[in-house]
Amino acid sequence: DIVMTQSPLSLPVTPGEPASISCRSSQSLLHVDEYNYLDWYLQKPGQSPQLLIYLGSIRASGVPDRFSGSGSGTDFTLRISRVEAEDVGVYFCMQALEIPPAFGQGTKLEIK
Amino acid sequence: QITLKESGPTLVKPTQTLTLTCTFSGFSLSTSGVGVGWIRQPPGKALEWLALIYWDDDKRYSPSLKSRLTVSKDTSKNQVLFTMNNMDPMDTATYYCAHSTTTGQGLFDYWGQGTLVTVSS
């Protein structure tokens, strides 16, 4: 099974500043169709997770363009260009290449 | 729009069987490429995928929990049933159902609100 590892696990950020979360998979998530099957989810406090990014870099509908995803193979990054108060919560990466899907441990973003 | 909602008991005793229902709207589980997944989250911990059922009745389970899980669908009622037997206090978690597609555009693009299940005698 593919194992997902995120870092850092805690991320205090000043509003307006950028933030970056790393996600590493134990196997390549690059499919023969040349897409990386890596999703990012945000779980805001008291809410269900919501899809932010799919196929490594494509923003889901309604996701602000301050969020971006990058990476390929086994190393991926979620970036927030300028953090806002509404961005607090736990960010999870998840491999969607094969069954069983696997989530990272989560990165808790908080406002300084 | 797509919505999902989990329902079932909030408290189960150890060794009992948990049965949850996911009632959804805005899509059909008879449409090619569509599925419903189950994911859980123990308090303060990470998400864990449990099961997936597809439009063609293909079912996939977490290898570590496979012997305890069953999913089924009732397409006419827009419902998916999830059962987990031999419940243990370690199974205390919020259980989510989620809409899934095989298009690659996000494995779980819509989630239910979740239901907290506590396992205790």
Side-chain angles (χ1 to χ4, degrees):
Chain A
D1 296 354
I2 298 174
V3 176
M4 308 299 292
T5 304
Q6 289 181 233
S7 63
L9 300 185
S10 179
L11 184 58
V13 184
T14 300
E17 293 296 305
S20 179
I21 299 171
S22 174
C23 176
R24 182 165 292 178
S25 58
S26 61
Q27 300 173 36
S28 175
L29 302 184
L30 184 61
H31 191 268
V32 292
D33 62 9
E34 301 187 358
Y35 287 103
N36 287 279
Y37 280 69
L38 187 283
D39 296 342
W40 287 97
Y41 297 86
L42 165 61
Q43 186 173 31
K44 295 183 177 181
Q47 296 186 17
S48 306
Q50 60 187 86
L51 178 66
L52 284 180
I53 301 279
Y54 60 91
L55 296 178
S57 62
I58 303 175
R59 282 188 300 276
S61 176
V63 175
D65 60 7
R66 64 178 180 275
F67 290 92
S68 64
S70 64
S72 184
T74 61
D75 289 288
F76 300 89
T77 302
L78 176 70
R79 290 186 176 87
I80 310 173
S81 58
R82 293 174 304 280
V83 170
E84 299 187 4
E86 66 181 27
D87 300 335
V88 298
V90 182
Y91 291 79
F92 294 95
C93 62
M94 189 202 78
Q95 71 85 9
L97 180 67
E98 62 182 40
I99 298 294
F103 293 90
Q105 315 97 300
T107 295
K108 186 173 184 179
L109 186 148
E110 60 179 25
I111 298 295
K112 280 184 182 177
Chain B
Q1 86 272 22
I2 290 176
T3 65
L4 306 98
K5 187 173 184 179
E6 307 85 354
S7 60
T10 57
L11 179 66
V12 297
K13 290 181 166 50
T15 75
Q16 286 186 337
T17 295
L18 170 68
T19 300
L20 296 174
T21 301
C22 178
T23 303
F24 56 85
S25 64
F27 68 96
S28 172
L29 202 36
S30 59
T31 300
S32 178
V34 174
V36 170
W38 287 91
I39 304 101
R40 71 178 178 179
Q41 184 176 38
K45 296 190 176 180
L47 299 163
E48 179 185 17
W49 174 76
L50 300 173
L52 251 174
I53 184 166
Y54 294 99
W55 80 100
D56 59 358
D57 211 34
D58 186 17
K59 300 162 188 173
R60 304 298 175 98
Y61 298 103
S62 165
S64 62
L65 294 167
K66 184 174 183 177
S67 64
R68 299 174 54 202
L69 303 179
T70 305
V71 286
S72 63
K73 62 184 176 73
D74 187 330
T75 305
S76 64
K77 292 184 178 179
N78 281 351
Q79 290 182 332
V80 170
L81 264 62
F82 170 88
T83 65
M84 176 182 286
N85 61 28
N86 196 24
M87 293 292 283
D88 181 271
M90 294 286 287
D91 297 315
T92 293
T94 296
Y95 287 75
Y96 297 97
C97 63
H99 173 268
S100 183
T101 73
T102 58
T103 63
Q105 296 180 3
L107 187 59
F108 301 117
D109 51 358
Y110 296 90
W111 294 61
Q113 64 188 30
T115 185
L116 176 61
V117 177
T118 301
V119 185
S120 174
S121 55

